[in-house]
Amino acid sequence: MQNTVPTSIRRLGNLAVSSLGLGCMGMTTSYGERDDAQAIVTIHRARELGITFLDTAEVYGPHNNEELVGRAIAGRRDDFVIATKFGFRITADLKVAPGLAGLDGSPDNARRAVEGSLKRLGTDVIDLFYLHRVDPKVPVEDTVGAMASLVTAGKVRFIGLSEVGPKTIRRAHAVHPIAAVQSEYSLWERGIEAEILPTLRELGIGLVPFCPLGRGFLTGTITSTQGLGAKDFRQGDPRFRDGNAARNLAAVECIAAIARRHGATPAQVALAWVFAQGDDVVAIPGTKRVRWLEENAAARELALDKADFAALDAIAGSIAGARYNEHNMEMVDR
Ligand SMILES: NC(=O)c1ccc[n+]([C@@H]2O[C@H](COP(=O)([O-])OP(=O)(O)OC[C@H]3O[C@@H](n4cnc5c(N)ncnc54)[C@H](OP(=O)(O)O)[C@@H]3O)[C@@H](O)[C@H]2O)c1
């Protein structure tokens, strides 16, 4: 593999980003043990591979994920496009419900959160600032109005939303141009295709698919919750639990069969499928390992054919289990 590749660019609204991003969440939270040194090497290797769009959030940790990203980009800030998110109330007492005290989309919280994120990231401007979850107690116009003021103040370049339905997207976009919407989108989760994706395309908003590897399941390397740590997010993920994982392995086998034909891996097929969905789509597969990063980067070169797409199309309809448990589903705007 070449050591440095030119960055191929896609656009999220008017924000130019590398055509593939890197999800940083799992580097400090949700999936397995932390290894900061390895994570930082992964971020630096991403730069060499032309993957410069990094995704983090205040709530990851909370705080320690932004701190890690800040350490990784120190002295090379301009090489990266940094996206982070706010929208939760973080309690001072981290022993209480691991630092989270519900949603908070208030203008005050937007103004508070941005200062903390700027500090932890070690930067004076955030390239893409998302509302992580819509707060039903606060009109989205008020939240986005406050985010727009942060653009005017030069603290944020572009605004995004995460886990939002079409009505909210329109209301928010009427207040200030939304550059990107971040939603779960992958071979096993295609719920956004009916209404959300057409709305984004009508309005010229980019899509940032999260969990494009189905939190690792679609790679074929995780077949159940056995072997995952007790605190691993996937212990509570319906698709990994209660017999659903065993049923969902048929989908992985379908992906693996296509991968074998191409001399590729299942992860590469899953990412090539997302990559092929359009130039306005920029996935952020997550990994803390150079090995997976390099494999995922190469998925940009994998061209699937018509027969592959037809076979892969059948997967989403066969999946057992909801994408979130009830608690997490309640926070999703529809
Ligand atoms: N907006 C939201 O609400 C929201 C929700 C979830 C995630 N996100 C963002 O989206 C990003 C991506 O989602 P995600 O990380 O949850 O899920 P993902 O990208 O679907 O999967 C990540 C998992 O796949 C594993 N993996 C990655 N590449 C692999 C490969 N080539 N072969 C085998 N395993 C591989 C990783 O392993 P290792 O951990 O061992 O590297 C990790 O366990 C996150 O990092 C986060 O920034 C946003």
Side-chain angles (χ1 to χ4, degrees), residues 80-111:
F80 293 96
V81 172
I82 305 295
T84 193
K85 320 181 193 77
F86 87 102
F88 290 90
R89 194 171 318 126
I90 315 281
T91 61
D93 179 1
L94 296 187
K95 287 187 201 119
V96 180
L100 301 186
L103 300 179
D104 187 350
S106 66
D108 273 354
N109 196 38
R111 289 187 283 268

Side-chain angles (χ1 to χ4, degrees), residues 22-27 30-32 55-57 60 65 85 132-133 162-163 182-183 209-217 219-222 234 265 267-268 271 284-289 291-293 295-296 324:
L22 174 60
C24 297
M25 178 182 79
M27 293 177 178
S30 301
Y31 311 138
D55 189 78
T56 180
Y60 299 160
N65 201 260
K85 320 181 193 77
H132 208 153
R133 292 288 184 277
S162 173
E163 292 280 27
Q182 188 170 129
S183 297
F210 71 74
C211 299
L213 297 168
R215 300 185 189 271
F217 195 89
T219 70
T221 59
I222 302 168
R234 292 165 291 199
T265 66
Q268 289 173 326
L271 292 179
I284 46 169
T287 184
K288 45 180 159 311
R289 292 168 218 287
R291 176 184 170 195
W292 294 153
L293 173 82
E295 187 178 311
N296 298 346
Y324 278 133

